[in-house]
Amino acid sequence: MKLYTYFRSSAAFRVRIALNLKDIRYQSVYVNLKPGQDEQYQEEYRHLNPEARVPFLVDNDVHLSQSTAILEYLEEQYPNPHLLPGTVKARATVRQIVNLIACDIHPLNNLSVLEKLKQNFSASQEACDVWYRDWVERGFAPLEALLAQHAGTFCFGDEVTMADLYLIPQVWNAHRFSVNMGPFPTISRIYRHCLTLPAFEAAMPERQDDNPNR
Amino acid sequence: MKLYTYFRSSAAFRVRIALNLKDIRYQSVYVNLKPGQDEQYQEEYRHLNPEARVPFLVDNDVHLSQSTAILEYLEEQYPNPHLLPGTVKARATVRQIVNLIACDIHPLNNLSVLEKLKQNFSASQEACDVWYRDWVERGFAPLEALLAQHAGTFCFGDEVTMADLYLIPQVWNAHRFSVNMGPFPTISRIYRHCLTLPAFEAAMPERQDDNPNR
């Protein structure tokens, strides 16, 4: 199995955690998304993945982009340990948390979006940071309410689910942009707990071989 | 079953199509998202759904936001007719298409995002339109390539799947913003075909009771 990845990509971070939890061996192929490097736009990579993003998974004849599609695929193909709970209702809540982060927070704060704000609106770095923090806070407020209802030691009860794979990268990213985490005690508590687990810790940007500050 | 909906919301449009295809009777509760009306921010609705967005589904004791979570829930709870294909590999491709639209196109073009561009960057309507069209075109280009590989009369082969439920609202929206659909013949063909089907047609914004121009 091959994972095309970039250390700082939240979406690749999610998949790295899943592969670690499921104890699947894989080869990392590094795609440098840093503005100015832009390896995702190189002909060879675009040929493989016309979306020009990471993560991208190659597993035999399955070639797959989109972290959520990749995670649902891994869950079906390599079900142990399960990352979705056992009842229809519980799975629905986990996917609600997943999509709140995957659709309402993360896409607005992607590197490509911040770059476009600078291009189209001459946005300063400070204005980009305000934009970033606003979307995170607007998403974390209802997320905190949802987790206060459903969380145990993890987002949903006391076992790891797919929801944790979305939360941890998003919080890691929020710290990077100095989001005030004071109003989000449940989110912060789950974050601290997850990072004590080797599968999460080994997936962190700080631990990736393509991190230049490593 | 109750669906909180707004005629123009792409995410609610997806769920309306699914409910029609699965022949599930439901009651529509209209939430007026029009700027200035902003019914999603009213106390009563926020109490029900702290995310302050539509769609929101109430099915007995299941209360659910996030269209993708709702659609996966409906698929598990009311499996006939199936909207996901029968093999792991095929489901992965359908979810890839779903998430390309749900994460890489739609969130950037939401009403709330366009409003925020105006607020934070004094963006003109024209600048918002350019922003809108850029993200749609950037997403439709790889989507067209993906569909050229997998489409039959629908996005994936010759049967309706969840992918079509995402494509049709996104194209409807793209027309509204005058996106040039010339480079996307496969997308356009599937769009025209789906709208000949009653389940899609009845879900269109033009056909909803809360559409003031109806």
Side-chain angles (χ1 to χ4, degrees), chain A residues 31-51:
Chain A
V31 184
N32 193 340
L33 306 191
K34 193 179 172 183
Q37 298 292 327
D38 304 309
E39 288 181 3
Q40 74 275 28
Y41 297 125
Q42 286 177 4
E43 198 55 32
E44 196 187 351
Y45 187 68
R46 287 196 98 134
H47 184 71
L48 185 70
N49 178 15
E51 295 166 47

Side-chain angles (χ1 to χ4, degrees), chain A residues 199-210:
Chain A
F200 284 82
E201 206 278 328
M204 290 190 76
E206 291 83 343
R207 292 283 306 277
Q208 305 312 301
D209 282 341
D210 62 332

Side-chain angles (χ1 to χ4, degrees), chain A residues 65-66 91 96 104 116 134, chain B residues 65-66 96 104 116 134:
Chain A
S65 70
Q66 295 295 332
R91 281 193 293 279
Q96 182 180 356
D104 292 349
K116 200 163 177 61
D134 278 3
Chain B
S65 70
Q66 294 295 333
Q96 181 179 358
D104 291 349
K116 200 163 177 60
D134 278 2

Side-chain angles (χ1 to χ4, degrees), chain A residues 41 49-51 53 56 61-66 68-69 72-73 76-77 87-89 91-93 95-97 99-100 102-104 107-108 110 112-113 116-117 119-121 123-124 127-128 130-131 134-135 138 142 145-146, chain B residues 41 49-51 53 56 61-66 68-69 72-73 76-77 87-89 91-93 95-97 99-100 102-104 107-108 110 112-113 116-117 119-121 123-124 127-128 130-131 134-135 138 142 145-146:
Chain A
Y41 297 125
N49 178 15
E51 295 166 47
R53 294 175 182 265
F56 189 79
D61 65 334
V62 171
H63 285 211
L64 206 52
S65 70
Q66 295 295 332
T68 304
E72 293 273 359
Y73 165 77
E76 294 191 351
Q77 189 71 6
T87 71
V88 172
K89 189 179 172 185
R91 281 193 293 279
T93 301
R95 288 193 176 109
Q96 182 180 356
I97 299 167
N99 285 286
L100 199 170
C103 299
D104 292 349
L108 294 156
N110 232 324
S112 57
V113 174
K116 200 163 177 61
L117 289 175
Q119 271 172 34
N120 288 27
F121 302 106
S124 63
C128 286
V130 168
W131 167 277
D134 278 3
W135 288 112
R138 213 192 265 204
L146 201 58
Chain B
Y41 297 125
N49 178 14
E51 294 167 47
R53 295 176 182 264
F56 188 80
D61 66 333
V62 171
H63 285 212
L64 206 52
S65 70
Q66 294 295 333
T68 303
E72 293 272 1
Y73 165 77
E76 294 191 351
Q77 189 71 3
T87 69
V88 172
K89 189 179 173 184
R91 280 194 293 279
T93 301
R95 288 194 177 110
Q96 181 179 358
I97 299 168
N99 285 286
L100 199 169
C103 300
D104 291 349
L108 294 155
N110 233 324
S112 57
V113 175
K116 200 163 177 60
L117 289 176
Q119 270 172 33
N120 288 27
F121 303 105
S124 64
C128 287
V130 168
W131 167 276
D134 278 2
W135 288 113
R138 213 192 265 206
L146 201 58

Side-chain angles (χ1 to χ4, degrees), chain B residues 139-182:
Chain B
F140 274 8
L143 182 60
E144 176 72 22
L146 201 58
L147 294 179
Q149 271 182 64
H150 296 286
T153 46
F154 294 100
C155 284
F156 189 84
D158 292 323
E159 286 184 36
V160 178
T161 66
M162 224 179 257
D164 302 295
L165 279 53
Y166 286 73
L167 185 71
I168 285 17
Q170 189 62 65
V171 176
W172 184 88
N173 228 288
H175 285 154
R176 218 181 125 225
F177 281 79
S178 308
V179 171
N180 170 23
M181 293 296 292

